[in-house]
């Protein structure tokens, strides 16, 4: 099943996963960036990651343990708000609950600082389509969420198939740029002879999004439908998210290795990593600990199955025996965190290693630079604000699942977020968009402290200093205005420290000036510098998108006027936001004189803030 769209993403409509998020919740937007040189293994480490407590006993790669927000290098208040925000979606969102329940897990380095179940794993026994209501189980048969509740991951399963493929590439059994037909000759018919493994892993093969394989009577005929499928576009010319890519990759893996996909999963990933709550086709004994999904009946489902609970929800995966490259893996939040920690470690966990650092780097590198907004590594989606929220960076990797699941990994801050919800319980039509995922990601991003600007350590604030923070609200214009200054002598320059991370192009930070008391404002060009990089020229007076999440030194030549007023204006749209903007140590000089210095109490008192606040984090 095509995630986040209930088959809306067909070849006929041409809707991508990003557009599906935009359509469902009015969200969208991202900008292609070249891959950054620093890989996951070189990510910034919070305090907990530098201690031996988070590492395997006797050495090895960092492993996970529960701990405090402080130990993780996170701000506890924002983790608390993450839970509060998530609980709000247990109610009408807007017409129905987004999910019956969820398990939330967030952490940084080797510390899981939040692991919280909310709501119910099993609440409804059926869906009443006439009244658009759920028919609840009696109270004594309903099952609350627990930390260990197992979920049908839906399309998050694609990550496991992708890792298995990259393992085989690493071992030389597969080649990334090799034609799929060189491993699976029957695949080459119907115009697919030019499709490579990379095209499958990045959804650029030309496959349409979905076909009803479950309508074919046998397994062999379902496979034949995939092999006979004609692409809707030449390989490499368009991005179109398709389940058929990962089903095809499954066929390749099984042919090359001689092992079924579920066996590969156990032997190559879950066994070595100790993920004992992750597998295809969970046994019946697991059912009480599994979150229920949908009352699957025609016409909203492709199959009449009644309440799906303990079996894969996706119709095509179900018809393929529950083991499929695109869906079918069941797991819990802790196991997904282990997988995430493994990748952030560069492929190792404890004494186990499932990938080399170079292979992980490939998975986190954008291969879709020609399709802005659809950044994609090998298997992993990158820089997708529509569910990564303010955690999104050019290297932030993740995936979502139709049933309400998601995993987000941010190598820049070495943080990870798992949101597992049963959002199709009791029916898929109740859930729209991805707002709970965005809300959780925003709070985790906010929980990562920015830290003091260079040279400002030890100057005020509970953590050593404070700086002006724009906030992270959507549909907002926040202004930070300096007092009127006389720059008529000429040569006046503003210097300050600047930190910004916004939704590219959609949210702008602007430096502007007025000489007529605020009737008109004109942008002020500025230059930013950071160590080791060439200066950045901001001729339009704006900053937007990704800045590396580090402080920059800013210099701006100011217009000459008897009364010049400067301000920062941060404007966001109604959709997504980034981590926001910080300004510190503002100082205006003209010749040898200082016209304004934020460090002087009298000057600081004259700064007018609307929407901006002093922040020590």
């Amino acid at each position: 099943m095509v995630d986040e769209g209930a088959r809306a993403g067909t070849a006929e409509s041409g809707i991508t996963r990003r557009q599906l998020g935009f359509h469902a919740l009015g969200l969208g937007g991202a900008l292609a960036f070249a891959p950054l040189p620093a890989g996951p293994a070189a990510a910034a480490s919070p305090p907990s990651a530098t201690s031996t407590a988070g590492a395997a006993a006797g050495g090895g790669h960092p492993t996970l343990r529960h701990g405090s927000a402080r130990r993780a290098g996170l701000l506890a208040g924002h983790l608390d708000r993450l839970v509060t925000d998530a609980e709000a979606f247990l109610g009408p969102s807007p017409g129905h609950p987004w999910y019956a329940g969820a398990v939330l897990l967030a952490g940084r380095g080797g510390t899981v600082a939040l692991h919280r179940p909310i709501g119910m794993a099993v609440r409804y026994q059926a869906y009443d389509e006439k009244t658009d209501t759920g028919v609840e189980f009696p109270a004594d048969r309903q099952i609350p969420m627990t930390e260990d509740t197992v979920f049908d991951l839906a399309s998050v399963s694609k990550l496991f198939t992708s890792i298995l493929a990259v393992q085989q590439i690493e071992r030389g059994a597969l080649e990334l740029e090799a034609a799929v037909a060189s491993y699976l000759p029957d695949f080459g018919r119907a115009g697919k002879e030019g499709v490579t493994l990379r095209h499958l892993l990045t959804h650029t093969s030309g496959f349409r999004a979905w076909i009803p394989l479950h309508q074919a009577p046998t397994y062999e005929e379902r496979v034949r439908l995939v092999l006979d499928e004609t692409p809707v576009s030449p390989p490499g010319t368009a991005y179109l998210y398709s389940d058929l890519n990962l089903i095809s990759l499954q066929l390749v893996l099984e042919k090359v290795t001689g092992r079924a996909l579920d066996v590969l999963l156990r032997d190559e990933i879950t066994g070595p990593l100790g993920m004992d709550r992750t597998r295809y086709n969970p046994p019946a004994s697991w059912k009480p600990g599994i979150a229920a999904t949908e009352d699957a009946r025609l016409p909203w489902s492709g199959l009449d199955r009644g309440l799906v609970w303990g079996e894969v929800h996706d119709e095509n995966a179900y018809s393929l025996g529950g083991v499929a490259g695109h869906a079918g893996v069941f797991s819990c939040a802790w196991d997904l965190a282990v997988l995430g920690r493994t990748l952030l470690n560069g492929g190792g966990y404890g004494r186990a290693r499932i990938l080399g650092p170079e292979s992980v780097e490939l998975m986190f590198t954008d291969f879709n630079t020609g399709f802005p907004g659809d950044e994609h590594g090998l298997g992993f989606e990158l820089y997708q604000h529509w569910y990564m929220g303010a955690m999104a960076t050019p290297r932030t990797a993740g995936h979502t699942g139709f049933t309400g699941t998601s995993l987000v990994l941010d190598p820049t801050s070495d943080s990870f977020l798992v949101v597992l919800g049963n959002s199709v319980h009791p029916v898929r039509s109740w859930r729209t968009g991805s707002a709970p995922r965005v809300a959780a990601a925003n709070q985790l991003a906010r929980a990562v402290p920015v830290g003091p600007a260079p040279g400002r350590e030890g100057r005020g604030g509970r953590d050593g200093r404070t700086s002006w923070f724009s906030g992270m609200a959507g549909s907002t214009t926040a202004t930070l205005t300096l007092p009127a200054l006389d720059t008529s002598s000429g040569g006046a320059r503003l210097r300050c420290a600047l930190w910004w991370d916004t939704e590219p192009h959609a949210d702008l930070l602007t430096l502007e000036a007025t000489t007529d008391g605020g009737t008109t404002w004109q942008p002020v060009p500025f230059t930013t510098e950071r160590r080791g990089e060439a200066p950045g020229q901001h001729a339009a007076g704006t900053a937007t998108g990704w800045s590396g999440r580090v402080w920059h030194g800013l210099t701006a030549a100011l217009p000459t006027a008897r009364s010049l007023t400067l301000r920062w204006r941060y404007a966001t749209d109604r959709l997504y936001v980034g981590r926001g903007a910080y300004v510190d140590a503002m100082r205006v000089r003209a010749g040898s004189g200082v016209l304004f210095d934020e460090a002087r109490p009298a000057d600081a008192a004259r700064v007018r803030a609307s929407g901006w606040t002093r922040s020590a984090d």
Side-chain angles (χ1 to χ4, degrees):
M1 179 180 299
V2 176
D3 185 29
E4 306 307 325
R7 301 189 200 94
T10 62
E12 291 76 17
S13 70
I15 295 176
T16 69
R17 279 168 60 79
R18 172 176 169 268
Q19 290 169 325
L20 288 171
F22 183 94
H23 175 75
L25 191 62
L27 307 176
L31 175 68
F33 281 79
L36 299 179
S45 297
S48 62
T50 63
S51 70
T52 58
H61 308 282
T63 57
L64 294 178
R65 70 173 190 177
H66 288 100
S68 66
R70 182 176 181 179
R71 188 175 196 88
L74 297 170
L75 303 174
H78 295 290
L79 295 185
D80 292 341
R81 284 192 277 280
L82 191 159
V83 176
T84 301
D85 287 351
E87 289 174 335
F89 293 99
L90 295 170
S93 310
H96 296 285
W98 200 88
Y99 38 41
V103 179
L104 315 166
L105 186 149
R108 192 176 182 210
T111 301
V112 172
L114 171 68
H115 192 181
R116 186 77 59 85
I118 61 172
M120 307 301 294
V122 181
R123 180 175 177 179
Y124 305 100
Q125 57 184 313
Y127 168 67
D128 186 337
E129 60 183 305
K130 294 181 179 179
T131 60
D132 189 26
T133 58
V135 180
E136 294 189 358
F137 278 107
D140 61 351
R141 294 180 59 192
Q142 295 183 28
I143 302 175
M145 288 288 183
T146 70
E147 289 183 350
D148 298 325
T149 297
V150 170
F151 289 76
D152 176 348
L153 297 183
S155 285
V156 175
S157 305
K158 292 178 170 69
L159 297 180
F160 292 95
T161 309
S162 301
I163 291 169
L164 291 169
V166 174
Q167 285 178 335
Q168 295 303 317
I169 292 170
E170 183 177 88
R171 297 168 189 176
L174 296 174
E175 294 183 11
L176 182 62
E177 298 298 340
V180 178
S182 67
Y183 305 105
L184 205 64
D186 287 346
F187 183 90
R189 53 183 181 251
K192 298 192 297 300
E193 62 276 0
V195 174
T196 66
L197 293 179
R198 175 172 58 83
H199 293 139
L200 298 182
L201 284 161
T202 59
H203 295 281
T204 55
S205 66
F207 270 131
R208 55 177 161 158
W210 178 89
I211 57 177
L213 302 179
H214 59 271
Q215 293 181 359
T218 67
Y219 180 91
E220 292 71 23
E221 289 178 82
R222 292 163 195 146
V223 171
R224 189 175 303 116
L225 285 174
V226 177
L227 299 177
D228 289 343
E229 180 70 10
T230 300
V232 298
S233 60
T237 63
Y239 173 88
L240 181 58
Y241 179 83
S242 174
D243 289 348
L244 304 183
N245 288 314
L246 278 294
I247 295 173
S248 300
L249 196 58
Q250 171 191 1
L251 299 176
V252 172
L253 286 167
E254 292 182 337
K255 177 72 176 295
V256 168
T257 66
R259 288 178 283 174
L261 190 64
D262 56 342
V263 176
L264 283 170
L265 177 71
R266 182 195 65 210
D267 292 350
E268 305 292 352
I269 300 178
T270 63
L273 296 181
M275 297 168 59
D276 57 7
R277 298 286 284 173
T278 303
R279 59 169 294 164
Y280 286 101
N281 289 328
S285 60
W286 283 26
K287 184 175 179 178
I290 296 177
T293 55
E294 188 174 35
D295 179 10
R297 290 183 282 120
L298 298 172
W300 57 86
S301 174
L303 296 171
D304 269 318
R305 298 169 61 194
L307 179 64
V308 179
W309 179 14
E311 294 181 323
V312 63
H313 172 258
D314 181 273
E315 295 95 338
N316 283 343
Y318 178 75
S319 75
L320 293 170
V323 179
H326 71 293
V329 176
F330 285 71
S331 189
C332 65
W334 184 267
D335 276 12
L336 280 185
V338 168
L339 181 70
R341 184 67 262 157
T342 301
L343 296 170
L344 290 170
N345 287 346
Y349 187 83
R351 296 183 178 276
R353 176 170 288 284
I354 63 168
L355 285 174
E358 298 81 4
S359 296
V360 177
E361 176 73 13
L362 284 177
M363 300 194 80
F364 286 12
T365 295
D366 181 21
F367 284 85
N368 284 3
T369 55
F371 310 112
D374 293 312
E375 291 82 354
H376 217 289
L378 300 184
F380 276 93
E381 297 169 334
L382 306 173
Y383 208 23
Q384 298 298 307
H385 284 81
W386 67 269
Y387 69 91
M388 297 175 180
M391 289 182 71
T393 78
R395 294 191 62 82
T396 304
H399 216 288
T400 65
F402 184 81
T403 50
T405 58
S406 61
L407 170 67
V408 180
L409 309 175
D410 178 15
T412 303
S413 62
D414 203 27
S415 59
F416 47 91
L417 174 66
V418 180
V419 176
L420 301 180
N422 53 354
S423 66
V424 298
H425 184 56
V427 69
R428 67 189 71 185
S429 60
W430 278 16
R431 185 275 314 277
T432 59
S434 202
R437 297 171 177 136
V438 172
N442 285 350
Q443 290 295 353
L444 180 54
R446 184 69 179 88
V448 178
V450 167
R456 293 286 288 172
E457 297 87 345
R459 296 185 64 180
R462 69 175 187 274
D463 291 334
R465 72 90 174 97
T466 63
S467 55
W468 288 105
F469 174 48
S470 66
M472 292 171 55
S475 300
T476 298
T477 298
T479 57
L480 182 66
T481 307
L482 275 63
L485 304 173
D486 183 352
T487 61
S488 58
S489 62
R493 303 180 75 83
L494 167 71
R495 293 185 184 275
C496 67
L498 183 66
W499 190 108
W500 75 94
D501 174 46
T502 80
E503 183 191 1
H505 294 322
D507 300 338
L508 297 178
L509 176 66
T510 304
L511 178 63
E512 54 192 7
T514 181
T515 58
D516 57 13
T519 302
T520 60
W521 293 86
Q522 299 297 324
V524 177
F526 58 87
T527 300
T528 56
E529 296 183 78
R530 58 180 290 193
R531 184 175 299 176
E533 290 190 1
Q537 303 298 328
H538 302 258
T542 61
T544 187
W546 167 252
S547 72
R549 289 191 178 170
V550 296
W551 284 96
H552 296 244
L554 177 144
T555 304
L558 303 182
T560 301
R562 288 207 172 273
S563 180
L564 178 81
T565 302
L566 282 175
R567 76 177 182 186
W568 288 104
R569 178 168 53 86
Y570 182 56
T572 60
D573 65 6
R574 66 184 180 87
L575 308 178
Y576 309 107
V577 295
R579 180 61 174 78
Y582 289 79
V583 177
D584 196 10
M586 292 183 288
R587 195 180 198 201
V588 178
R589 293 181 63 96
S592 60
V594 177
L595 304 182
F596 173 87
D597 189 343
E598 189 184 0
R600 299 189 304 211
D603 284 352
R606 298 168 64 200
V607 176
R608 302 194 309 274
S610 174
W612 292 71
T613 58
R614 298 296 296 186
S615 174
D617 53 26

